[in-house]
Amino acid sequence: MPDYHDDLRLAHVLADAADAATMARFKALDLKVETKPDMTPVSEADKAAEELIRGQLQRARPRDAILGEEYGIEGTGPRRWVIDPIDGTKNYVRGVPVWATLISLMEAAEGGYQPVVGVVSAPALGRRWWAAKGHGAYTGRSLTSASRMHVSKVSTLSDASFAYSSLGGWEEQGRLNGFLDLTREVWRTRAYGDFWPYMMVAEGSVDLCAEPELSLWDMAATAVVVTEAGGTFTGLDGRPGPHSGNAAASNGLLHDELLGYLNERN
């Protein structure tokens, strides 16, 4: 089994640098925010954090490719770092502390690139989660001060907690009726949004979560954390991993039921 310790340690160094940069501009009154062609916001902090991470990767891993939300793909080869400098930019620009830097290393494998290392760092919450393929998932303040994570053992929907981001996307895809049926079956629903529900699934405090439309950089890091915690991460089509343009994550015991409801069409 490959040892990804050096890559994981580098990912933590990158996250430390990004945390310092993003926190320095969080709630800044003069923060500059633009609208991208897809009508989503991007702040100067998004761009600065990605530039910082790219610069460090180019020095530390010059042979590896880099894919980031703000500046696209650079380089080729069997190893690719995937970066979302601020997942939850809408929260960030409004002063809501639920946002994180997502850093993942993906390696070429059968069926396409697969995530093997993931770090999710949410400095405004004072939280960080990480995983490496075959080595488990952890949360804590550092590699040496951490506790291992495991998904829940909840096995019935009536006892399950389901997290999501919003209703709009489900309605646009014609999946709203199935989504609403699921919310009526579960014990509890909460719209935490972005990276956080996936980390809660990994920790065992939430049992199910899903989003109808996502990009690879939204999912690569969270996917390896969830799976290394013993959970299941797929697209709504059931394809394992972060390649379907949407996501469904669970403790594994409820995954088929989750997909069944979310694939109901209006």
Side-chain angles (χ1 to χ4, degrees), residues 18-264:
D19 286 355
T22 52
M23 284 300 291
R25 299 297 292 155
F26 185 48
K27 296 188 178 180
L29 296 179
D30 60 344
L31 182 72
K32 296 178 182 178
V33 182
E34 303 171 2
T35 300
K36 294 192 285 190
D38 64 0
M39 302 308 292
T40 60
V42 57
S43 74
E44 63 180 83
D46 291 80
K47 295 179 178 180
E50 183 167 325
E51 289 171 350
L52 184 63
I53 293 170
R54 283 177 176 270
Q56 292 199 18
L57 280 172
Q58 287 162 355
R59 292 189 293 273
R61 296 288 190 275
R63 296 183 179 180
D64 294 351
I66 306 171
L67 171 64
E69 178 176 11
E70 307 307 334
Y71 296 105
I73 184 74
E74 180 179 1
T76 59
R79 288 164 49 97
R80 178 181 295 173
W81 293 87
V82 179
I83 306 157
D84 189 343
I86 299 179
D87 181 52
T89 298
K90 292 177 182 178
N91 284 344
Y92 184 88
V93 302
R94 288 297 303 270
V96 178
V98 184
W99 48 272
T101 295
L102 312 183
I103 300 169
S104 179
L105 172 63
M106 303 185 75
E107 289 188 342
E110 186 176 347
Y113 285 86
Q114 299 299 327
V116 295
V117 168
V119 171
V120 177
S121 190
L125 294 175
R127 298 294 310 277
R128 186 176 291 185
W129 305 261
W130 64 88
K133 184 179 179 181
H135 297 280
Y138 295 83
T139 183
R141 295 201 175 268
S142 68
L143 280 167
T144 56
S145 178
S147 56
R148 189 159 184 173
M149 297 190 294
H150 299 279
V151 296
S152 74
K153 296 181 180 179
V154 173
S155 59
T156 59
L157 282 179
S158 60
D159 294 327
S161 180
F162 171 52
Y164 60 97
S165 287
S166 65
L167 297 178
W170 300 105
E171 185 172 26
E172 291 170 7
Q173 292 191 7
R175 301 177 190 264
L176 184 59
N177 286 346
F179 175 90
L180 293 175
D181 286 344
L182 175 61
T183 66
R184 297 181 185 108
E185 291 296 320
V186 297
W187 166 65
R188 191 170 190 251
T189 62
R190 285 293 183 273
Y192 299 108
D194 301 305
F195 68 94
W196 207 6
Y198 302 96
M199 298 303 95
M200 291 185 189
V201 168
E203 290 181 315
S205 54
V206 163
D207 312 298
L208 310 162
C209 70
E211 289 180 89
E213 186 174 3
L214 292 170
S215 298
L216 178 61
W217 45 75
D218 298 313
M219 298 183 281
T222 59
V224 67
V225 173
V226 168
T227 55
E228 284 298 315
T232 300
F233 190 107
T234 72
L236 297 177
D237 57 5
R239 181 184 176 189
H243 298 290
S244 300
N246 45 48
S250 75
N251 63 5
L253 300 174
L254 299 167
H255 206 77
D256 288 345
E257 290 178 274
L258 173 64
L259 294 180
Y261 277 99
L262 297 181
N263 281 302
E264 289 181 11

